[in-house]
Amino acid sequence: QSQKHIWTTLLHCRWNVFVGAEDYVTWEIAPGRLSDGSVVDIWGKTDVVSWDMPGAGAPCTSTSRPGRWRSFPYLAELSGEDGEVLWGYLCRQWDDENGVNDGSGLNKGRQLLRYNFFMLQADVLSNMRFSATRKRLIHSHDCTSSNNFAVGDETESHDESSFLSEEL
């Protein structure tokens, strides 16, 4: 009886653990406005914002940041203090990496004021081409404010935010 039980257990293995490739690709961009008026991609850490799908130079198709950074956009629903810490980190990281906080005052024009974080997606078509890109705003963040998640807070509207939502 026990031998029959062992064979039954062995033969009832799950074979559906191997799944096919996803039928879409995703990537993220985060256009941000600097204090000198220029627009940069703080997610890709570049001075040029490109809404195009990353090519062969990207670490992977889904993001311009490898490793643990891949989970960052999926934490978007955090709010309150947790959300402020998460999204504020991109402001601090940009400023630190661009010498804004080095004490010299020479790079104050590179200070990040605000940004929008987008997830973009395109379907893989049968001929190995891609559909039109769909764009979803994940989060808008004002780096000069410490209460982006205040309940009932009426924040100032920025008319110049059109740079952050370029139509594809």
Side-chain angles (χ1 to χ4, degrees):
Q1 181 68 3
S2 62
Q3 187 177 16
K4 182 180 176 187
H5 182 67
I6 291 171
W7 280 111
T8 302
T9 303
L10 291 174
L11 292 175
H12 284 91
C13 292
R14 263 187 22 184
W15 293 100
N16 63 347
V17 295
F18 304 102
V19 296
E22 294 177 333
D23 56 356
Y24 59 90
V25 293
T26 60
W27 66 101
E28 300 84 18
I29 65 168
R33 172 81 66 191
L34 302 183
S35 60
D36 68 3
S38 62
V39 177
V40 296
D41 181 1
I42 67 163
W43 186 248
K45 299 181 182 182
T46 64
D47 288 340
V48 178
V49 176
S50 174
W51 296 84
D52 297 330
M53 185 182 315
C60 61
T61 306
S62 68
T63 184
S64 59
R65 292 190 180 196
R68 293 182 179 153
W69 283 104
R70 293 189 63 178
S71 64
F72 191 91
Y74 300 103
L75 299 173
E77 294 179 11
L78 290 176
S79 61
E81 186 179 339
D82 292 336
E84 195 66 51
V85 169
L86 176 79
W87 295 105
Y89 180 79
L90 291 178
C91 299
R92 292 185 304 278
Q93 180 189 47
W94 176 270
D95 288 350
D96 288 345
E97 290 180 359
N98 286 275
V100 173
N101 301 322
D102 67 3
S104 71
L106 298 174
N107 296 316
K108 282 296 183 189
R110 300 285 294 168
Q111 182 178 10
L112 182 61
L113 300 178
R114 60 188 170 276
Y115 68 88
N116 281 351
F117 192 95
F118 291 95
M119 182 174 285
L120 298 115
Q121 181 176 357
D123 295 327
V124 179
L125 304 175
S126 59
N127 59 359
M128 293 309 293
R129 299 201 117 152
F130 298 98
S131 68
T133 301
R134 292 181 303 281
K135 170 180 65 174
R136 184 173 66 138
L137 177 64
I138 301 295
H139 179 74
S140 293
H141 197 81
D142 181 350
C143 298
T144 63
S145 174
S146 61
N147 64 349
N148 283 278
F149 295 93
V151 178
D153 181 35
E154 296 297 324
T155 58
E156 181 180 330
S157 175
H158 296 287
D159 292 336
E160 50 190 285
S161 65
S162 62
F163 79 97
L164 298 171
S165 60
E166 174 185 332
E167 292 301 319
L168 300 173

